[in-house]
Amino acid sequence: MKNHRIASTESFMRIRLLGFALTFFVLFTVFCRLAPAQAPASDSPAIEAKARAMLTKLTLEEKIKLIGGVDSMFTNAIPSIDLPRLKMSDASVGVRTWGPTTAYAGGAALAATWDKNFAKELGESLGRDARARGVNFLLGPGVNIAKAPVNGRNFEYLSEDPYLNSALVVPYIHGVQSQGVSATVKHYALNNEEYNRHNVDVEVDERTMREIYLPAFEAAVKQGHVTAVMNSYNLVNGEHATQNTFLNLKVLKGDWKFSGVLMSDWDATYDGVAAANNGLDLEMPSARFMNEQTLVAAVKSGAVKEATIDDKVLRIFRVALRYGWLDRPQFDPADSTYSVADRPIALKGALESITLLKNENHILPLDASKIKTIAIIGPDAWPAVVGGGGSSQADAFQPVSIVAGIANLVGSDVHVLYTRGLPEMNDVFWHTSWEADMKEATYPSKTFSGSPVTSTPHGINNYKQEWWGPADKTPRSIRYTASFKAPKAGKYLVLAAASGSDHYTVSVDGRQIIEQVQVEGQYPESASIDLSAGQSISVVADYLPGFAGNRFGLGIVNESDMISEEVKKFSSIADTVVVAVGFNPSTESEGFDRSFTLPWGQDALIEAAVAANPHTVVTFIGGGAFDTHRWLDKVPALVHAWYPGQEGGTAVADVLFGRHNPEGKLPVSFDRSWQDDPSYQYYYPLKGADTKLHVTENNHSPVDYDIPHVKYGDKLMVGYRYWTTTGKHPLFPFGFGLSYTTFSFSHLDVPSSANTGTIDPNGIQVSFDVTNTGSVAGAEVAQLYISDPSAKTTRPERELKGFEKVSLAPGKTKHVTLSLDTRAFSYWDESTHNWTIDPGKFVIRVGDSTENTPLQGDLTIN
Ligand code: BGC
């Protein structure tokens, strides 16, 4: 993965020295806050005139300078027109430029809240945090569809559903932009996997794009009035996003009339002239392609019109003028870098997102007064895991781990026992007892051919956690052949790890059990095998280093020996056991995809705990669905905590002990296995179908890239659209989440007919009642799905078109009215290239998940 942004201290230091100016800033800020900072949906004639006047003062070289970034996270300043450099920061879970921050439940966790009001509050908090750091462009929200559970960045995105994403992204953007900060909706578009993200070419038809992958961007532009969009790394139908005519010119700037700045993802530009001509306004983080050398010549030769460059510059000016960035300092001393006021927002998101998936015999909520000893076990119990890895990774000021959250809640009367329960990875490599015949053969080629240099090591333990290394001057491939004798019968874990772009396979008795496929980064790989006492196996590991040196580790361990002694001891003496499993920034991250299975050893850890104490609750941290098949039927309760941000430990404890009634709902369908997922066959590139892309970067020799093709043959059948259309069932359906109370739905009122032409602007009103039928207060998400059985074309069996979160005291009822506009009934007609309604019968269903919709009514559209 890229070396992410070295922290710079400049702005903070300089601003400190300007202490005397603070008083002025404060007064000025008060003035600015009185005037709304929210960028208007369109520009006033005054802004247009000012932008054009500024443009006339620039030379062609200055204009080009403005459309390429500098110092990783800035645009260039143009002192002659008083334009400061504009600062950017990532912010999927917290504003991270630079140093510690308030880390919120963002991305998939936000989606699990299904709370539009919270989306706005989160946006406002992030906007304030950004102003406290002088940030002009917040590099979020990410709204790519969670097409597959293994995508390494789902945790930064929202859900598998375009309607849910759209409904949340609009208030989020309003929140951010109300603080005088531009949101940047990303990654436009079809960046649904981290695997080989720079090179993958997504082959997708227009209807699928318009109905599934583009609506959240469309809502961000048309309803959210977002002032920046970020192009993704990948190609779409043969063109990189940054130079994609269809995405950028036809759809974004044409159909949706986007008037803001279209910037590239970091190093996602491949051709300066093509990008300039196809809508890219700003190349980040530096002008590798859209620079003076390329573009001055291109303007002179007529390959790029100067008016095209002017349009980009004007867009940057307009956004700067809309927010007043030329008239006031972006750093706002009224906002704290660490705001105590934001901690409740961080806690609120965590509480609202935690999703209870299983609660057999009402084992939850736990009763602290009945617990003398609680055992808290597992790698995600401590330290706190606030978010995933990559550019969104935020260091929280005061993160609360699950151990601390529970201990704080139960107080000193309850005995708290904590153990991680699993060894460190290197311990497995160091302590594997290989038989004496191990051989390491280093070949002078990348194909395990030629005469190898051999040695007889005792183990395979060179692993180092590095992303990059020095280039490999001589091609090499390394083959390990070894044998291992099982001292006793049981399950054995085969564990391997390498670094950066290394590749390897591991075979046991001639059968390949592990293959590392990621390109930019990776997580440790493992496989579980059954061995009988005394059984000998032959192991072959073919290791292909991506860089100089050998950074490969391999080990085998008996699974029950791997679990620390304390797990059994603590579990058996505790009244209740909490096993905190899941991912973390090194196993789920930008740059590579994650496994569907839990990280190595964790299945065995749960099995060991529940075997010692059936009163075991599993909590999970991660960005989506995962494999539960080894233990779910043995464990009475499962709590999905997403990436809960800095207050996660407090929130998990509050939910476990009933201080907060769980209200999170799955924003994705939860599969039984990765193979079951509807996108399984349409995710990794078609084997042997790579094409070449020839790229010439200034001052460098041309480079040929391999372009793998991923065919989106699943079309509209993403997530629950597949499950409901096929009549098959995932493990847990989209929209599902348990509560400590119960709700009922009643009194559906749907008009029996409507006319196509008169639906908008008021919409068709559908109303119903939601009642809390249990004995504690709680919140329910009422979900409205529409089916179009008389459509002339194939449509998913049902689609989400409305929802509302309702908080109710026990016994109380709320009457909910949802409004359905024309789009709610439409599909994208490929022949007319437009949205269309087929008149006829529509079915409206209301309930609490795709699989439980007790209310149903028909509506005929004429
Ligand atoms: C990520 C973007 C991020 C950018 C700047 C890239 O690697 O894909 O999401 O905004 O870096 O940090």
Side-chain angles (χ1 to χ4, degrees):
M1 200 179 64
K2 261 178 305 134
N3 182 10
H4 267 287
R5 286 52 73 198
I6 308 295
S8 153
T9 51
E10 44 59 61
S11 57
F12 289 126
M13 294 313 293
R14 231 184 305 142
I15 281 158
R16 269 191 199 176
L17 293 174
L18 293 177
F20 71 91
L22 278 179
T23 324
F24 165 76
F25 278 170
V26 171
L27 292 173
F28 193 79
T29 306
V30 169
F31 167 76
C32 292
R33 282 298 158 97
L34 294 176
Q38 167 82 49
S42 62
D43 296 312
S44 66
I47 285 187
E48 192 57 31
K50 196 161 180 196
R52 288 190 180 271
M54 284 162 65
L55 181 74
T56 58
K57 296 192 181 134
L58 300 191
T59 61
L60 176 61
E61 287 72 13
E62 281 175 316
K63 292 176 193 170
I64 293 171
K65 198 169 168 209
L66 189 57
I67 63 171
V70 66
D71 293 345
S72 273
M73 284 284 167
F74 292 91
T75 60
N76 279 293
I78 311 279
S80 60
I81 52 166
D82 295 330
L83 182 74
R85 59 189 203 154
L86 304 174
K87 184 174 178 180
M88 309 189 175
S89 171
D90 281 292
S92 300
V93 296
V95 180
R96 54 163 298 197
T97 307
W98 289 274
T101 192
T102 303
Y104 304 91
L110 166 62
T113 70
W114 291 63
D115 186 344
K116 294 172 235 179
N117 297 329
F118 175 68
K120 175 128 189 287
E121 285 178 277
L122 175 62
E124 286 165 351
S125 295
L126 288 167
R128 280 195 299 275
D129 293 349
R131 284 295 295 275
R133 292 162 176 81
V135 169
N136 302 82
F137 289 94
L138 196 83
L139 302 176
V143 297
N144 297 82
I145 289 289
K147 172 183 165 76
V150 297
N151 177 24
R153 271 186 113 167
N154 280 348
F155 73 92
E156 284 186 67
Y157 302 150
L158 294 163
S159 78
E160 71 182 27
D161 183 72
Y163 181 85
L164 179 56
N165 283 10
S166 305
L168 294 173
V169 77
V170 171
Y172 184 117
I173 290 168
H174 287 161
V176 172
Q177 298 195 161
S178 70
Q179 304 304 306
V181 174
S182 173
T184 307
V185 68
K186 67 189 187 184
H187 305 91
Y188 186 67
L190 284 297
N191 180 191
N192 308 106
E193 60 195 88
E194 286 302 281
Y195 172 80
N196 209 351
R197 61 182 172 158
H198 282 264
N199 302 326
V200 155
D201 178 23
V202 174
E203 293 179 6
V204 58
D205 62 82
E206 184 177 3
R207 180 171 174 207
T208 303
M209 279 196 259
R210 297 278 192 171
E211 290 190 25
I212 305 286
Y213 297 98
L214 300 186
F217 292 100
E218 182 179 2
V221 171
K222 289 175 30 182
Q223 297 162 45
H225 308 300
V226 74
T227 40
V229 174
M230 185 190 291
N231 266 146
S232 56
Y233 287 115
N234 52 292
L235 297 88
V236 176
N237 293 331
E239 278 296 351
H240 267 106
T242 44
Q243 58 192 66
N244 197 295
T245 323
F246 176 79
L247 288 179
N248 300 344
L249 296 184
K250 164 82 181 92
V251 178
L252 180 70
K253 293 185 173 177
D255 299 349
W256 302 343
K257 302 190 173 39
F258 173 63
S259 62
V261 177
L262 176 59
M263 70 175 78
S264 70
D265 200 339
W266 271 231
D267 293 315
T269 309
Y270 284 84
D271 180 324
V273 171
N277 281 333
N278 287 292
L280 187 71
D281 300 318
L282 175 61
E283 179 183 1
M284 291 303 292
S286 62
R288 274 173 71 192
F289 292 90
M290 290 211 311
N291 54 28
E292 212 179 301
Q293 190 181 354
T294 306
L295 293 184
V296 171
V299 169
K300 285 200 176 127
S301 73
V304 175
K305 294 198 180 79
E306 185 158 358
T308 304
I309 308 286
D310 288 352
D311 176 59
K312 302 177 194 310
V313 173
L314 282 171
R315 284 167 178 272
I316 297 171
F317 286 167
R318 285 189 203 112
V319 171
L321 291 166
R322 278 184 210 178
Y323 290 107
W325 291 340
L326 277 82
D327 306 327
R328 58 165 171 80
Q330 183 65 355
F331 164 69
D332 187 344
D335 293 326
S336 304
T337 307
Y338 178 36
S339 167
V340 175
D342 280 342
R343 291 195 65 182
I345 306 287
L347 179 60
K348 185 173 180 189
L351 287 170
E352 283 201 40
S353 61
I354 292 176
T355 311
L356 179 61
L357 295 175
K358 182 173 180 188
N359 191 17
E360 215 168 63
N361 301 325
H362 303 289
I363 178 176
L364 295 178
L366 303 171
D367 182 348
S369 67
K370 296 205 176 112
I371 295 178
K372 286 200 179 60
T373 302
I374 186 165
I376 308 165
I377 293 169
D380 284 52
W382 184 90
V385 182
V386 300
S391 59
S392 71
Q393 199 171 331
D395 284 332
F397 281 102
Q398 236 183 321
V400 183
S401 67
I402 292 178
V403 176
I406 292 177
N408 290 341
L409 187 144
V410 295
S412 50
D413 291 345
V414 175
H415 191 200
V416 175
L417 297 170
Y418 159 74
T419 175
R420 186 174 187 278
L422 287 171
E424 296 298 335
M425 185 162 57
N426 279 318
D427 289 341
V428 177
F429 301 155
W430 283 109
H431 295 127
T432 299
S433 308
W434 299 101
E435 292 201 298
D437 58 352
M438 175 179 288
K439 198 167 88 184
E440 179 186 280
T442 305
Y443 294 87
S445 69
K446 287 202 171 282
T447 52
F448 303 92
S449 59
S451 304
V453 176
T454 57
S455 66
T456 51
H458 296 298
I460 309 170
N461 42 29
N462 300 301
Y463 174 72
K464 289 185 196 70
Q465 199 192 15
E466 290 164 349
W467 292 100
W468 297 114
D472 207 349
K473 293 214 175 72
T474 47
R476 283 166 319 120
S477 44
I478 303 170
R479 172 165 295 159
Y480 292 94
T481 44
S483 49
F484 176 84
K485 191 170 180 181
K488 59 183 175 188
K491 271 198 185 319
Y492 284 76
L493 184 95
V494 182
L495 178 64
S499 313
S501 55
D502 298 354
H503 283 266
Y504 58 85
T505 58
V506 179
S507 303
V508 166
D509 289 341
R511 188 172 66 88
Q512 185 178 302
I513 57 164
I514 293 176
E515 180 183 15
Q516 197 294 115
V517 296
Q518 303 301 327
V519 176
E520 231 181 310
Q522 53 180 274
Y523 51 84
E525 306 264 0
S526 66
S528 186
I529 53 175
D530 288 305
L531 298 179
S532 49
Q535 185 180 346
S536 259
I537 52 171
S538 81
V539 178
V540 176
D542 278 351
Y543 170 58
L544 209 51
F547 295 97
N550 176 344
R551 309 180 299 176
F552 182 55
L554 180 71
I556 303 185
V557 60
N558 178 287
E559 285 194 1
S560 58
D561 293 348
M562 166 182 74
I563 307 298
S564 75
E565 273 176 26
E566 289 84 6
V567 171
K568 204 167 162 198
K569 217 182 279 167
F570 291 178
S571 300
S572 47
I573 59 172
D575 302 297
T576 294
V577 183
V578 175
V579 188
V581 296
F583 292 83
N584 65 28
S586 56
T587 48
E588 185 166 25
S589 168
E590 173 184 345
F592 58 91
D593 285 334
R594 73 147 157 95
S595 58
F596 186 72
T597 48
L598 283 171
W600 66 274
Q602 298 189 14
D603 285 323
L605 181 64
I606 298 170
E607 286 172 338
V610 76
N613 188 336
H615 214 257
T616 290
V617 173
V618 173
T619 65
F620 169 78
I621 288 187
F626 63 100
D627 190 348
T628 57
H629 86 273
R630 270 180 63 171
W631 44 262
L632 189 60
D633 58 347
K634 301 182 196 116
V635 164
L638 172 60
V639 175
H640 196 314
W642 308 97
Y643 282 105
Q646 64 179 41
E647 310 297 330
T650 305
V652 167
D654 283 357
V655 166
L656 292 181
F657 287 88
R659 282 201 186 164
H660 184 85
N661 190 350
E663 59 185 273
K665 302 282 172 180
L666 285 177
V668 289
S669 307
F670 201 113
D671 303 312
R672 284 189 177 75
S673 69
W674 169 211
Q675 286 75 3
D676 258 12
D677 187 274
S679 72
Y680 179 69
Q681 296 172 52
Y682 307 106
Y683 190 76
Y684 286 116
L686 304 168
K687 280 218 156 70
D690 291 11
T691 50
K692 296 272 179 216
L693 181 75
H694 193 66
V695 173
T696 310
E697 190 181 341
N698 290 321
N699 306 325
H700 294 278
S701 339
V703 184
D704 269 341
Y705 290 92
D706 281 326
I707 299 299
H709 298 271
V710 178
K711 210 172 177 55
Y712 277 25
D714 45 346
K715 294 177 178 268
L716 306 173
M717 297 301 155
V718 173
Y720 74 82
R721 285 169 169 74
Y722 164 86
W723 294 108
T724 55
T725 306
T726 55
K728 296 182 189 164
H729 305 280
L731 181 59
F732 301 112
F734 176 81
F736 172 79
L738 298 168
S739 167
Y740 297 148
T741 187
T742 46
F743 295 92
S744 73
F745 296 88
S746 58
H747 301 115
L748 178 68
D749 186 8
V750 181
S752 56
S753 66
N755 291 324
T756 30
T758 55
I759 298 176
D760 293 335
N762 298 329
I764 293 174
Q765 315 302 314
V766 172
S767 64
F768 51 88
D769 287 342
V770 184
T771 304
N772 181 343
T773 49
S775 53
V776 285
E780 179 60 290
V781 178
Q783 303 159 35
L784 185 155
Y785 295 90
I786 297 188
S787 309
D788 184 4
S790 61
K792 290 194 220 116
T793 184
T794 317
R795 297 198 67 180
E797 193 271 340
R798 62 185 63 184
E799 293 184 291
L800 181 75
K801 296 295 172 184
F803 66 89
E804 182 150 323
K805 186 165 213 174
V806 183
S807 294
L808 288 169
K812 293 286 178 218
T813 295
K814 184 165 181 206
H815 189 64
V816 175
T817 302
L818 298 174
S819 181
L820 301 170
D821 62 7
T822 300
R823 178 68 81 83
F825 301 94
S826 310
Y827 64 86
W828 182 262
D829 185 338
E830 297 216 88
S831 56
T832 61
H833 298 281
N834 220 330
W835 294 99
T836 192
I837 297 186
D838 279 346
K841 179 177 146 182
F842 288 82
V843 183
I844 312 287
R845 293 186 174 85
V846 174
D848 60 10
S849 77
T850 51
E851 297 207 345
N852 182 37
T853 47
L855 302 184
Q856 179 172 332
D858 291 352
L859 160 70
T860 302
I861 298 194
N862 303 303

